[in-house]
Amino acid sequence: MNYQDLANLIFPDVKDSSYFEEKYPNRNLKEGAFVTRFAPSPTGFVHMGSLYTSFSNIRLARQTEGVVFLRIEDTDQKREVENGVEGIINDFNNLNIFFDEGPTQGGSYGPYIQSERKEIYQSFAKKLLQEGMAYPCFATEEELKNLREMQELNKERLGYYGSWAKYRNLPVDEAIAKIKEGTPYIVRLKSPGDFNHKIVLDDCIKGKIEMPENDMDIVIIKSDGLPTYHFAHAVDDHLMHTTHVIRGDEWVSSYPIHHQLFQVLGFEEPRYAHIAPFTIKEGNTVRKLSKRKDKEAAISFYHQNGVPNEVINLYIATVNNSNFEEWYINNPDKTVDDYIFTFDKMPVGGSLFDLDKLMNISKVYFSKLSAEEIYNRTLEYTKQYDLEFYNLIKDNKDYLVSLLNIERNIERPRMDIGSYSDVKRQFWYMYDELFDKVDAPYKEVSYSYDVSFIKEYLANIYDENDTEEEWFNKVKDYASSKGFATNRKEYKENPEKFLGNIADFCSIIRVMLTTTNTSPNMYDLLKIYGKENLLNRVDKFLKEIN
Ligand code: GLU
């Protein structure tokens, strides 16, 4: 009995590995094109961390006219979640992110779901068995536990390796007999490595990292017949012709295993780029952004709040390459797709996730959109998330567009909208239906003098047809007649002689309409809201504050 018999007993029906080598030939791409992949386990959704990793894979493939594919890594069936695959694909669709190949669109190197590639992995495991580079291991839970205890007691390195690997040198005949008896087993690599040898990972982002060679007889095929992550990674990235494995840096320490697998399988090794994760400050410590703990890790958080996909993309680009931000400022008409990303500009250590920065990017982004565009997208957003506002704006486009146009098409446009939900937050007071729902809208407001003259101003002085200049001159004259100083110097010299200065007068009108002290240009707001409505509003105002 020899290795061949053992391999045939374990995997009797699988095709020869040469079949798959032929089935998945080299890709016909131009020199220098990257083949990358995003390879999530089927967790059911995409989060900031995974989006960040997929971003680099996508950009680098696209900018080199290469290929980027989506591969679902579901070989750990204990971790299966309902709709795990569909959820991820849906999220990517909602984000307008499309891969060149993957479970839904297919491709010549599929299937792209690992559990559907069982025979492929088994075929390569069979090859290793035939060569004596893999073996069935019959260690029970109990045996592994005892092994661990012995190693701890003797202060030895933990793991299944060298002389601790009990079944490594089991004669083939005995192994065959055990299998025939029905003894459960898994398949392990017979590691040719020496822990005292060093290998070097030449990481595209982190540079050279020296590590001990792998000598662990790692599991390659589990008892359910599916491969481990390590084995599937080597087989898939070989057959799918990945040129660059761009993945989270939690995998750096597994590199010695992967390096060895590529060697024993006779595969050319891809380049590796390990991406530092998004981190977050918690008290005095910094930890990885967590999809379970941090609301801002979920993509749904941005969708629900109305932050556009493009903004998430811009933020990720900003973190991904250290000089993207400056480039984007200097090239305001370009998009992320026009920038060439390089590994040497990617952060080596974790990047603090900064929601404020993301929102600032969003405000700049919104300031460049036309009012019409914001209106259309707000309509779409509110239809899904805020039907009350949707119903108010859907048949009244011109009204909201004119509000959004206030201080928009100028050199330094307003920066007060960073999401579709901000539109309502900014302009709610311009809709009586919303205003009237607020209980005591002026509860924060009080004056040391009677402000009833505001009504007289609106009724007798204010004219909707005035130009901004005429309007302001009238405001000044009227304010002055009511005891307000019309220039700052005059007021500063004798404040006791005045009720306040012109700014205080304007503030009364502003507060009456908006309930707050900051708003877009008053002249525009008053004109858009209209005189009749103003007279209504002023009554509510005076009634509440008096
Ligand atoms: N399935 C692995 C993960 O989700 C993929 C790592 C890789 O890209 O190779 O972390």
Side-chain angles (χ1 to χ4, degrees), residues 37-41 53 57 71 73 79 114 229 233 237 245-248 250-251:
R37 77 304 189 267
F38 179 58
S41 45
T53 307
N57 278 295
R71 181 173 73 221
E73 305 210 324
R79 288 173 48 204
Q114 285 185 330
Y229 163 72
H233 154 50
D237 284 316
V245 172
I246 306 174
R247 62 183 178 187
E250 69 273 21
W251 293 107

Side-chain angles (χ1 to χ4, degrees), residues 96-111:
N96 276 327
I97 292 177
F98 303 99
F99 294 89
D100 301 317
E101 299 166 10
T104 36
Q105 59 275 61
S108 318
Y109 294 82

